[in-house]
Amino acid sequence: MNTAVHTTFNFSKYINQVSRTETILYVGHVTCVNGLEIESEGPCSSIGEICTIHIPRNNTTLMAEVVGLDGSIVKLTAFGDTGGIEVGCEVIASGHELQVGVGESLLGRVIDATGRPCDGLGEISPEAWYPAIAVPPDPMTRLPVDRRIVTGVRAVDSLLTVGKGQRMGIFAGSGVGKSTLISMIARNTNADINVIALIGERGREVLDFIKRDLGIEGMKRSVVIVATSDQPSICRLRAAYVSTAVAEYFRDQGKDVMFMFDSVTRFAQAQREIGLANGEPPAQRGYPPSVFDMIPKLLERTGTNDKGSITAFYTVLVDGDDMNEPIADKVRGTLDGHIVLSRNLAQAYHYPAIDVLQSISRLARRVTGMQTRKACGAVRELMSVYRDNETLITTGNYEKGRSPVIDAAIDKHDAIEAFLKQEETERCPVNDTLQKLSELSGVDIPLEEFEESPAAEIKSAAEITDEYAAADRAAAL
């Protein structure tokens, strides 16, 4: 009796390799190197296309990206040191834009602006290739943001509640605690995966963040993308897109991704350097128009799609603590809320230095219950009253008993401050946070509002209006 043995082969990796094999090469030659910009006669290419420059002097190659076209002249920016490039060097077009290899093997790894590993742990075996530059999800197919995400930061989980798929900005001057706040969220969040982009960071801070802030357990479910401040501007720029593509891959697998991006300001500065070198005119505070076009296109790629979610925290380094400078203003208008870190609070050793009254989560009402909202409102009102009358209170010009509202603000001030302060290593489960918020505000928060979707049964304004309209039509019959 003959038995047929059927063997199934997985040809996907071979097909993938064949599809990426260069068949017809378009070749040009370097004609000029001017600072950040390299010009070549040809090859036939498009904006954003990746090219390879052959440097015969030291027998090496250098990756570069097409950033401008002027007739037959191709303008490129290199992903590394341009030393050794000379007139006549071959420039070979790849036929595609920057792509990043993605897959589960990325977890626990550190990659660079081109998606290649830079942690010394060997090569990564990608399951697929994602384009670094992509379009945002279709707004008509995005899943609603209706579930709370836990950050582990008490001030955020209570008074600035964030939903899964929400995009928040963290605005602060230098040295006020942005990186520390991001590390607290990375360690304590209940998201499935962390994707962390360190754009323009000091070289010293990269390993510090990975070992001291993230730790072994945090790194196991994280992917870190790094482009340090000493690297070319195109690396800092493209690392932003590569990190977003990595987060998009995990979202497409149905995961809830926590995406932390530090910082948008350095991303904008990288594009400013490229734009000015490419002949763009400066606009607001020296930033060319392309910067303000690129920011929303990048930020809109996060959030939800029809499969999963990317909850994003973008840091913005504000010059001189000016919250209205152009980049901060553009980012604040694009995102779903902002967290402002105060230098005054940091100087008073109040960490995390979150200025709750200047911060807002625009989707908090969608992911919190009715009683939780009342408790948050009560605490914020007490904080606002105290701040409005702080000068009178601290100088001794207010006599207790004049105003019951001010008296209550004074009585609760120390308790509110203690509630908002949190040690970097302190764990704050969301149930404990909401319980303390209930005790602080005097508002009873029922157990059902401790769940992930406490506002699921709360009707929207449109639904309530429709019910009124239906009732009116029924009454008219």
Side-chain angles (χ1 to χ4, degrees):
M1 181 177 181
N2 294 329
T3 303
V5 179
H6 298 283
T7 305
T8 302
F9 293 98
N10 183 6
F11 290 102
S12 59
K13 65 178 182 179
Y14 301 108
I15 294 172
N16 192 32
Q17 185 64 37
V18 170
S19 66
R20 293 178 56 82
T21 301
E22 298 177 350
T23 52
I24 301 174
L25 301 180
Y26 292 94
V27 181
H29 297 87
V30 172
T31 58
C32 176
V33 178
N34 185 16
L36 299 174
E37 188 177 85
I38 302 167
E39 294 185 0
S40 70
E41 182 75 28
C44 179
S45 56
S46 59
I47 296 292
E49 186 170 338
I50 298 299
C51 297
T52 301
I53 303 174
H54 285 271
I55 307 174
R57 176 175 295 185
N58 47 22
N59 196 27
T60 59
T61 60
L62 180 64
M63 184 184 294
E65 181 175 321
V66 178
V67 295
L69 298 171
D70 184 5
S72 62
I73 298 298
V74 177
K75 300 179 180 181
L76 307 107
T77 297
F79 281 85
D81 187 9
T82 57
I85 295 179
E86 57 190 21
V87 172
C89 287
E90 281 190 344
V91 180
I92 302 175
S94 66
H96 59 77
E97 297 181 347
L98 181 62
Q99 295 179 315
V100 55
V102 292
E104 294 293 327
S105 58
L106 281 174
L107 294 177
R109 301 299 301 271
V110 183
I111 61 177
D112 63 15
T114 62
R116 296 170 180 168
C118 57
D119 52 9
L121 299 179
E123 292 298 317
I124 295 171
S125 300
E127 297 172 9
W129 291 86
Y130 266 45
I133 300 175
V135 297
D138 183 349
M140 302 305 295
T141 61
R142 285 181 182 258
L143 295 172
V145 178
D146 55 10
R147 298 175 296 151
R148 175 199 293 121
I149 196 166
V150 176
T151 65
V153 180
R154 193 160 47 228
V156 175
D157 289 340
S158 57
L159 302 178
L160 300 166
T161 312
V162 178
K164 288 185 176 180
Q166 187 170 348
R167 302 160 305 140
M168 295 284 286
I170 301 175
F171 296 77
S174 57
V176 185
K178 297 185 300 299
S179 297
T180 301
L181 179 59
I182 284 178
S183 68
M184 291 173 68
I185 295 172
R187 288 193 303 271
N188 299 308
T189 182
N190 65 340
D192 299 319
I193 289 168
N194 295 322
V195 177
I196 304 166
L198 303 178
I199 310 299
E201 285 288 342
R202 305 175 186 89
R204 171 190 62 81
E205 292 180 336
V206 173
L207 207 56
D208 275 358
F209 181 87
I210 293 170
K211 291 192 174 181
R212 298 175 61 89
D213 295 334
L214 200 54
I216 296 174
E217 291 302 316
M219 194 62 193
K220 284 181 180 178
R221 59 175 181 146
S222 301
V223 183
V224 180
I225 298 88
V226 174
T228 54
S229 58
D230 62 302
Q231 291 181 328
S233 51
I234 191 65
C235 292
R236 287 176 273 134
L237 187 74
R238 287 297 173 246
Y241 290 95
V242 166
S243 58
T244 305
V246 171
E248 287 172 330
Y249 165 76
F250 287 109
R251 178 179 63 186
D252 288 346
Q253 308 309 304
K255 305 288 187 182
D256 290 319
V257 181
M258 177 63 76
F259 182 51
M260 285 153 284
F261 187 108
D262 187 14
S263 70
V264 178
T265 305
R266 295 188 178 107
F267 163 79
Q269 289 170 347
Q271 175 58 24
R272 177 172 63 183
E273 293 169 9
I274 294 173
L276 294 178
N278 200 31
E280 275 195 79
Q284 300 181 55
R285 294 204 185 177
Y287 288 101
S290 61
V291 172
F292 302 99
D293 177 63
M294 295 175 73
I295 287 176
K297 289 180 178 178
L298 177 67
L299 271 53
E300 283 291 342
R301 288 171 59 182
T302 54
T304 61
N305 66 356
D306 57 347
K307 300 181 183 68
S309 70
I310 301 174
T311 306
F313 284 86
Y314 295 94
T315 70
V316 180
L317 183 65
V318 291
D319 294 333
D321 296 333
D322 177 13
M323 297 297 169
N324 295 315
E325 60 95 21
I327 300 302
D329 194 52
K330 184 67 175 179
V331 173
R332 186 168 52 245
T334 304
L335 298 179
D336 305 315
H338 53 272
I339 297 171
V340 176
L341 303 188
S342 165
R343 189 172 299 279
N344 289 335
L345 290 176
Q347 289 171 345
Y349 206 71
H350 181 296
Y351 289 106
I354 298 174
D355 189 332
V356 172
L357 295 181
Q358 287 197 60
S359 306
I360 187 171
S361 172
R362 292 181 179 144
L363 302 182
R365 294 178 63 85
R366 297 190 188 180
V367 293
T368 53
M370 292 295 294
Q371 292 298 103
T372 304
R373 296 179 198 171
K374 291 180 181 178
C376 292
V379 172
R380 291 182 75 107
E381 184 177 355
L382 290 171
M383 294 176 66
S384 179
V385 169
Y386 188 90
R387 177 169 292 187
D388 291 344
N389 297 275
E390 188 170 10
T391 302
L392 287 175
I393 296 168
T394 56
T395 57
N397 291 323
Y398 173 76
E399 292 183 10
K400 201 167 185 179
R402 286 183 178 180
S403 168
V405 177
I406 298 178
D407 290 345
I410 295 172
D411 292 339
K412 288 285 188 179
H413 177 68
D414 289 344
I416 292 173
E417 289 291 293
F419 175 75
L420 296 177
K421 289 181 181 179
Q422 181 179 340
E423 291 292 334
E424 185 179 350
T425 56
E426 183 181 354
R427 296 195 64 184
C428 296
V430 68
N431 288 4
D432 292 349
T433 295
L434 294 180
Q435 185 61 43
K436 289 178 180 178
L437 176 65
S438 176
E439 296 169 358
L440 186 63
S441 63
V443 176
D444 182 51
I445 300 177
L447 290 178
E448 54 264 27
E449 293 193 12
F450 287 33
E451 298 175 357
E452 186 180 60
S453 302
E457 302 302 321
I458 299 176
K459 296 177 180 178
S460 67
E463 290 172 331
I464 295 172
T465 301
D466 290 344
E467 288 181 359
Y468 286 152
D472 290 342
R473 286 194 298 269
L477 296 176

